[in-house]
Amino acid sequence: MTAAPLPSLDPLIAAEQARLKAAGCAQADPTVLPLAEARAQQDRYFAAINARLPPIANTRDLTVAGAQGDMRARLYRPAICRDDAFVVFVRGAGWWAGGLDSHEAVCRGIANATSRSVVALDYRRSPEHVFPAQRDDVVAGVAWLLDHAAGLDLPARVVLWGESAGASLCVLGWRRLTDAGWSAALPCLILFYGNLGGPRKNLRPQSKWVWEQYLGPAWGNPPASAIPAKTEIRDCLPIWLGVGDIDPLIEDSRLFAKQLASIGCPHELTVYPGMPHGFSAYSEISPDAAVATHDASAFLNQIVSGALD
């Protein structure tokens, strides 16, 4: 029997990654660089992949409530903007990197694809701040936005949309927001290549480092409340999951989808051929990467419009 061919990286993304490496803008490995240098290198990568920004009607920087003081945020409005829900975007970058500028192209793309306002939250980073700081910032920011929605000309419902570490924060934040009485305002979750499984044996060195910095002293015995795969899922809302077939975290999405199926939670899982971890950042370069944003937007539209419950 002939073995199935191994998945291969999308050639357009491969070419772009080679270009970035040659220009000194490859992604950073924080396991081999001091943190400040790793962040500076990662910022160069983010600046390079945001060189092609999709047009957007309007952006506005905001100050919203975090869990322990003010938090920066950025509001994106597309030219055609629906008034039935808005999106809160929660970035990935391993909880240790990124900010409001790092996912500028991604946020603009989401706003245009969904025809809805998008607010990106600049939660506190690890290792300076460990769990639950990031989750609590997301919860506080979303609650503040809902409380002030009318003044910001935002709808009264919000879709949490997260990538990687941010997808984890969306699940954990949704649970806390639901417990706080906001369930009616949260129609669905959109989770791109989620870092959902928590620390475990045989993690890649970088994944292990990421979880160590995020959990801090709790690394050796992390609470279930820090790990989506171990968080109690009840009163479940519809969830969309998307991941690439060459993503080292692909099993996190597959296992989480199985967990959702076991409790009857409505969900969709789509695996995208040739896509690496973080592929949304390449949507302006690879049409195949852009497909996932449109798929997630279609799911969101169905849920928000009431076509699915």
Side-chain angles (χ1 to χ4, degrees), residues 64-112:
V64 306
Q68 293 188 1
D70 290 343
M71 176 171 56
R72 299 191 312 147
R74 184 168 293 161
L75 170 62
Y76 300 83
R77 293 197 196 276
I80 300 173
C81 193
R82 301 184 186 183
D83 61 1
D84 51 5
F86 69 102
V87 172
V88 161
F89 176 78
V90 187
R91 72 174 186 274
W95 300 292
W96 65 275
L100 289 184
D101 295 332
S102 61
H103 291 71
E104 178 82 10
V106 170
C107 290
R108 289 175 176 227
I110 294 169
N112 290 333

Side-chain angles (χ1 to χ4, degrees), residues 245-287:
D245 68 350
I246 58 172
D247 191 324
L249 294 181
I250 188 171
E251 288 306 312
D252 282 29
S253 292
R254 286 173 169 163
L255 292 174
F256 196 64
K258 289 181 180 178
Q259 181 182 351
L260 297 175
S262 72
I263 60 171
C265 180
H267 68 282
E268 289 184 11
L269 168 64
T270 303
V271 177
Y272 293 93
M275 292 296 112
H277 194 71
F279 66 79
S280 289
Y282 299 99
S283 294
E284 292 300 300
I285 297 162
S286 167

Side-chain angles (χ1 to χ4, degrees), residues 50-142:
N50 281 285
R52 303 174 180 87
L53 290 178
I56 193 77
N58 180 262
T59 66
R60 173 187 171 191
D61 284 357
L62 306 173
T63 300
V64 306
Q68 293 188 1
D70 290 343
M71 176 171 56
R72 299 191 312 147
R74 184 168 293 161
L75 170 62
Y76 300 83
R77 293 197 196 276
I80 300 173
C81 193
R82 301 184 186 183
D83 61 1
D84 51 5
F86 69 102
V87 172
V88 161
F89 176 78
V90 187
R91 72 174 186 274
W95 300 292
W96 65 275
L100 289 184
D101 295 332
S102 61
H103 291 71
E104 178 82 10
V106 170
C107 290
R108 289 175 176 227
I110 294 169
N112 290 333
T114 62
S115 297
R116 291 176 176 87
S117 296
V118 173
V119 180
L121 298 178
D122 190 17
Y123 62 79
R124 289 171 289 170
R125 301 190 295 193
S126 67
E128 295 89 345
H129 304 278
V130 299
F131 177 84
Q134 295 79 10
R135 179 202 66 190
D136 292 351
D137 277 349
V138 170
V139 171
V142 171

Side-chain angles (χ1 to χ4, degrees), residues 131-132 135 168 172-173 176 214 222-228 230-232:
F131 177 84
R135 179 202 66 190
S168 175
L172 302 180
R176 302 283 285 197
Y214 173 56
S225 59
I227 302 168
K230 296 183 180 179
T231 299
E232 182 183 6

